[in-house]
Amino acid sequence: MDFILSEKRKEVLETIDRFGVITNRQLEKFLSYMGVNTIRRGRQQLKELGFIEEKSFGRRKVSTITKKGSEYVGQIMTGASSSYSQLQHDLTVNEIVHALVQQYKEKGHSVTFLTEREVIRKAFLSLSYEEIKKPNKLRHLSKEVPDFLLNFRDQSFAFEVELNRKTHQRIEKKVQQYKQSVEENTYSRVFYICKDEGIRRHVESFAKGVGVDIHFLMLHEVIDDEEV
Protein backbone atom coordinates (compact mmCIF):
# COMPACT_ATOMS: atom_id res chain seq x y z
CA MET A 1 0.00 0.00 0.00
CA ASP A 2 1.33 3.44 -0.91
CA PHE A 3 1.31 6.22 1.65
CA ILE A 4 1.40 9.87 0.65
CA LEU A 5 2.69 12.28 3.27
CA SER A 6 2.56 16.05 3.07
CA GLU A 7 5.93 17.73 2.61
CA LYS A 8 6.03 18.87 6.24
CA ARG A 9 5.15 15.46 7.63
CA LYS A 10 7.71 13.83 5.39
CA GLU A 11 10.26 16.31 6.73
CA VAL A 12 9.37 15.27 10.29
CA LEU A 13 9.90 11.64 9.29
CA GLU A 14 13.20 12.43 7.54
CA THR A 15 14.52 14.18 10.64
CA ILE A 16 13.59 11.25 12.90
CA ASP A 17 15.21 8.90 10.39
CA ARG A 18 18.47 10.85 10.42
CA PHE A 19 18.86 10.50 14.17
CA GLY A 20 17.13 7.17 14.64
CA VAL A 21 15.97 8.13 18.12
CA ILE A 22 15.07 11.65 19.22
CA THR A 23 13.04 13.24 21.99
CA ASN A 24 9.96 15.19 21.02
CA ARG A 25 11.57 18.36 22.41
CA GLN A 26 14.73 17.80 20.35
CA LEU A 27 12.64 17.24 17.24
CA GLU A 28 10.97 20.59 17.82
CA LYS A 29 14.39 22.23 18.20
CA PHE A 30 15.70 20.88 14.90
CA LEU A 31 12.44 21.84 13.18
CA SER A 32 12.09 25.18 14.97
CA TYR A 33 10.82 26.84 11.76
CA MET A 34 7.83 24.50 11.83
CA GLY A 35 4.87 24.91 14.15
CA VAL A 36 4.82 22.71 17.25
CA ASN A 37 1.28 21.54 16.50
CA THR A 38 2.29 20.64 12.94
CA ILE A 39 5.10 18.48 14.32
CA ARG A 40 2.83 16.83 16.86
CA ARG A 41 0.15 16.02 14.27
CA GLY A 42 2.88 14.69 12.00
CA ARG A 43 4.22 12.40 14.72
CA GLN A 44 0.74 11.09 15.39
CA GLN A 45 0.18 10.18 11.74
CA LEU A 46 3.65 8.59 11.47
CA LYS A 47 2.89 6.49 14.53
CA GLU A 48 -0.45 5.37 13.09
CA LEU A 49 1.30 4.35 9.86
CA GLY A 50 3.90 2.34 11.75
CA PHE A 51 6.71 4.62 10.52
CA ILE A 52 7.79 5.50 14.05
CA GLU A 53 7.34 4.16 17.55
CA GLU A 54 7.06 6.26 20.70
CA LYS A 55 8.04 5.42 24.24
CA SER A 56 8.90 7.12 27.50
CA PHE A 57 12.45 7.61 28.74
CA GLY A 58 12.16 9.11 32.18
CA ARG A 59 10.00 12.20 31.75
CA ARG A 60 10.75 12.41 28.05
CA LYS A 61 8.85 11.07 25.07
CA VAL A 62 11.13 9.50 22.47
CA SER A 63 10.38 8.81 18.81
CA THR A 64 12.19 5.90 17.14
CA ILE A 65 12.28 5.25 13.41
CA THR A 66 11.06 1.82 12.27
CA LYS A 67 12.39 -0.12 9.29
CA LYS A 68 9.13 0.64 7.50
CA GLY A 69 9.53 4.36 8.13
CA SER A 70 13.19 4.43 7.11
CA GLU A 71 12.44 2.55 3.90
CA TYR A 72 9.73 5.10 3.08
CA VAL A 73 12.31 7.89 3.36
CA GLY A 74 14.63 5.81 1.18
CA GLN A 75 17.99 7.00 2.51
CA ILE A 76 19.21 4.89 5.44
CA MET A 77 16.75 2.01 5.01
CA THR A 78 17.06 0.51 8.51
CA GLY A 79 15.15 0.82 11.74
CA ALA A 80 16.93 2.21 14.80
CA SER A 81 17.87 0.25 17.86
CA SER A 82 15.89 1.37 20.86
CA SER A 83 18.24 -0.16 23.41
CA TYR A 84 17.48 1.47 26.76
CA SER A 85 21.15 1.36 27.78
CA GLN A 86 22.18 3.30 24.64
CA LEU A 87 19.40 5.88 24.75
CA GLN A 88 21.08 8.33 27.13
CA HIS A 89 24.16 8.46 24.91
CA ASP A 90 22.17 8.87 21.69
CA LEU A 91 19.95 11.60 23.09
CA THR A 92 22.98 13.42 24.51
CA VAL A 93 24.61 13.32 21.07
CA ASN A 94 21.46 14.85 19.55
CA GLU A 95 21.62 17.70 22.05
CA ILE A 96 25.30 18.30 21.31
CA VAL A 97 24.72 18.39 17.55
CA HIS A 98 22.02 21.01 17.94
CA ALA A 99 24.11 23.12 20.34
CA LEU A 100 27.19 23.14 18.09
CA VAL A 101 25.22 23.88 14.93
CA GLN A 102 23.54 26.81 16.71
CA GLN A 103 26.91 28.15 17.86
CA TYR A 104 28.16 28.22 14.28
CA LYS A 105 24.97 29.86 13.03
CA GLU A 106 25.11 32.54 15.73
CA LYS A 107 28.58 33.46 14.45
CA GLY A 108 27.23 33.74 10.91
CA HIS A 109 28.83 30.51 9.68
CA SER A 110 27.23 27.86 7.51
CA VAL A 111 27.68 24.34 8.81
CA THR A 112 26.12 20.98 8.02
CA PHE A 113 26.15 17.73 9.94
CA LEU A 114 25.92 14.00 9.39
CA THR A 115 24.52 11.76 12.11
CA GLU A 116 26.04 8.41 13.00
CA ARG A 117 23.30 6.64 11.02
CA GLU A 118 24.14 8.69 7.94
CA VAL A 119 27.88 8.13 8.34
CA ILE A 120 27.34 4.37 8.72
CA ARG A 121 25.14 4.24 5.62
CA LYS A 122 27.70 6.20 3.59
CA ALA A 123 30.49 3.88 4.76
CA PHE A 124 28.39 0.79 4.05
CA LEU A 125 27.67 1.90 0.48
CA SER A 126 31.38 2.38 -0.16
CA LEU A 127 32.20 -1.24 0.74
CA SER A 128 32.95 -3.95 -1.77
CA TYR A 129 30.44 -6.73 -2.35
CA GLU A 130 32.67 -9.14 -0.43
CA GLU A 131 32.78 -6.79 2.58
CA ILE A 132 29.02 -6.23 2.55
CA LYS A 133 28.38 -9.98 2.71
CA LYS A 134 30.34 -10.37 5.95
CA PRO A 135 28.11 -11.21 8.96
CA ASN A 136 27.07 -8.27 11.16
CA LYS A 137 29.01 -5.79 9.01
CA LEU A 138 26.62 -2.95 9.84
CA ARG A 139 26.99 -3.62 13.57
CA HIS A 140 30.78 -3.56 13.27
CA LEU A 141 30.67 -0.31 11.32
CA SER A 142 28.80 1.37 14.17
CA LYS A 143 31.88 0.84 16.34
CA GLU A 144 34.23 2.28 13.72
CA VAL A 145 32.59 5.60 12.80
CA PRO A 146 32.26 8.86 14.77
CA ASP A 147 29.15 9.74 16.73
CA PHE A 148 28.61 12.57 14.23
CA LEU A 149 30.40 14.80 11.73
CA LEU A 150 30.33 18.56 11.31
CA ASN A 151 31.23 19.89 7.86
CA PHE A 152 32.56 23.44 7.84
CA ARG A 153 34.38 25.24 5.01
CA ASP A 154 35.35 22.05 3.19
CA GLN A 155 36.60 20.54 6.43
CA SER A 156 35.12 17.51 8.14
CA PHE A 157 35.28 17.40 11.94
CA ALA A 158 34.72 14.04 13.65
CA PHE A 159 33.13 13.99 17.10
CA GLU A 160 33.13 11.26 19.71
CA VAL A 161 30.99 11.59 22.84
CA GLU A 162 32.25 9.72 25.90
CA LEU A 163 29.88 9.50 28.85
CA ASN A 164 31.48 6.39 30.35
CA ARG A 165 35.00 5.01 30.42
CA LYS A 166 35.65 2.43 27.71
CA THR A 167 38.03 -0.51 27.98
CA HIS A 168 41.67 0.02 27.08
CA GLN A 169 41.23 -2.16 24.00
CA ARG A 170 38.25 -0.20 22.65
CA ILE A 171 39.88 3.19 23.21
CA GLU A 172 43.17 2.16 21.64
CA LYS A 173 41.43 0.68 18.59
CA LYS A 174 39.30 3.80 18.11
CA VAL A 175 42.16 6.30 18.37
CA GLN A 176 44.21 4.16 15.99
CA GLN A 177 41.36 4.40 13.49
CA TYR A 178 41.22 8.16 13.95
CA LYS A 179 44.96 8.46 13.41
CA GLN A 180 44.59 6.67 10.09
CA SER A 181 41.57 8.78 9.12
CA VAL A 182 43.43 12.04 9.81
CA GLU A 183 46.49 10.84 7.88
CA GLU A 184 44.24 9.97 4.93
CA ASN A 185 42.50 13.37 5.20
CA THR A 186 39.15 11.71 5.82
CA TYR A 187 38.73 14.04 8.82
CA SER A 188 40.37 17.41 9.34
CA ARG A 189 40.13 17.23 13.12
CA VAL A 190 38.94 14.81 15.77
CA PHE A 191 37.12 16.00 18.89
CA TYR A 192 36.29 14.03 22.02
CA ILE A 193 33.53 15.44 24.23
CA CYS A 194 33.99 13.90 27.67
CA LYS A 195 31.67 13.84 30.65
CA ASP A 196 34.44 14.17 33.23
CA GLU A 197 38.19 14.72 33.58
CA GLY A 198 38.88 11.05 34.33
CA ILE A 199 37.46 10.02 30.95
CA ARG A 200 39.38 12.81 29.21
CA ARG A 201 42.70 11.76 30.74
CA HIS A 202 42.00 8.13 29.87
CA VAL A 203 41.43 8.91 26.17
CA GLU A 204 44.27 11.43 26.07
CA SER A 205 46.81 8.88 27.30
CA PHE A 206 45.98 6.51 24.46
CA ALA A 207 45.88 9.32 21.89
CA LYS A 208 49.39 10.37 22.87
CA GLY A 209 50.49 6.75 22.80
CA VAL A 210 49.50 6.29 19.16
CA GLY A 211 50.47 9.81 18.14
CA VAL A 212 47.15 11.31 17.09
CA ASP A 213 46.15 14.92 17.80
CA ILE A 214 42.75 14.94 19.49
CA HIS A 215 40.93 18.05 20.64
CA PHE A 216 38.99 17.77 23.89
CA LEU A 217 35.83 19.46 25.09
CA MET A 218 34.02 18.86 28.35
CA LEU A 219 30.34 17.99 28.15
CA HIS A 220 29.29 20.80 30.49
CA GLU A 221 31.04 23.31 28.19
CA VAL A 222 28.77 22.30 25.31
CA ILE A 223 25.37 21.52 26.82
CA ASP A 224 23.50 21.42 30.07
CA ASP A 225 23.12 17.64 30.37
CA GLU A 226 20.24 18.13 32.78
CA GLU A 227 18.17 19.17 29.77
CA VAL A 228 18.77 16.00 27.77
Side-chain angles (χ1 to χ4, degrees):
M1 182 176 180
D2 293 328
F3 304 99
I4 299 176
L5 296 178
S6 68
E7 285 302 311
K8 287 186 177 180
R9 293 185 182 183
K10 187 177 180 182
E11 195 169 352
V12 172
L13 180 62
E14 289 170 341
T15 303
I16 298 171
D17 187 39
R18 294 186 71 186
F19 291 96
V21 295
I22 190 169
T23 69
N24 293 349
R25 176 63 183 133
Q26 288 172 345
L27 187 61
E28 291 167 7
K29 284 183 179 181
F30 280 101
L31 298 174
S32 58
Y33 51 87
M34 198 180 291
V36 171
N37 287 334
T38 299
I39 296 171
R40 289 176 180 170
R41 287 193 295 269
R43 282 200 333 267
Q44 183 60 36
Q45 183 186 15
L46 297 176
K47 188 165 60 171
E48 291 170 357
L49 291 171
F51 287 173
I52 67 170
E53 295 176 346
E54 285 190 336
K55 66 179 179 181
S56 297
F57 183 61
R59 293 172 298 170
R60 293 149 290 187
K61 290 289 185 180
V62 178
S63 294
T64 304
I65 194 74
T66 64
K67 189 173 187 294
K68 182 180 179 181
S70 190
E71 288 177 345
Y72 181 89
V73 174
Q75 297 295 323
I76 299 173
M77 308 293 284
T78 60
S81 167
S82 57
S83 165
Y84 195 86
S85 62
Q86 184 68 16
L87 261 179
Q88 185 62 52
H89 175 271
D90 292 345
L91 298 179
T92 300
V93 170
N94 296 353
E95 202 70 25
I96 290 170
V97 172
H98 183 267
L100 292 178
V101 168
Q102 288 303 115
Q103 287 177 25
Y104 275 93
K105 287 182 177 179
E106 288 168 5
K107 293 177 181 178
H109 300 311
S110 176
V111 64
T112 60
F113 66 89
L114 288 178
T115 66
E116 182 184 56
R117 277 170 59 80
E118 292 172 313
V119 177
I120 290 172
R121 184 63 177 173
K122 185 177 179 180
F124 186 74
L125 292 176
S126 70
L127 295 175
S128 66
Y129 179 68
E130 289 72 22
E131 284 288 319
I132 289 174
K133 287 199 303 180
K134 290 182 178 179
N136 300 314
K137 187 59 185 179
L138 269 177
R139 185 166 59 84
H140 291 308
L141 276 177
S142 68
K143 298 178 181 179
E144 298 171 4
V145 304
D147 285 322
F148 66 95
L149 296 177
L150 283 186
N151 298 311
F152 173 66
R153 291 179 178 173
D154 298 323
Q155 298 183 83
S156 186
F157 301 151
F159 285 83
E160 201 71 33
V161 178
E162 294 293 314
L163 303 183
N164 301 291
R165 183 178 293 206
K166 302 290 194 304
T167 64
H168 292 356
Q169 184 179 13
R170 285 183 65 184
I171 289 293
E172 184 173 16
K173 183 177 180 180
K174 201 65 180 274
V175 296
Q176 285 280 14
Q177 290 169 344
Y178 279 131
K179 180 182 180 181
Q180 182 178 346
S181 296
V182 171
E183 290 174 347
E184 295 173 350
N185 293 318
T186 304
Y187 308 133
S188 307
R189 295 181 187 176
V190 178
F191 293 83
Y192 263 76
I193 300 177
C194 302
K195 187 173 183 178
D196 59 51
E197 283 292 335
I199 294 173
R200 185 193 66 78
R201 288 193 297 269
H202 185 59
V203 175
E204 188 175 38
S205 66
F206 282 95
K208 288 180 177 178
V210 304
V212 60
D213 184 21
I214 287 180
H215 303 263
F216 289 92
L217 296 169
M218 301 307 296
L219 183 64
H220 67 82
E221 296 174 336
V222 184
I223 63 167
D224 179 358
D225 60 347
E226 294 292 326
E227 295 181 3
V228 178

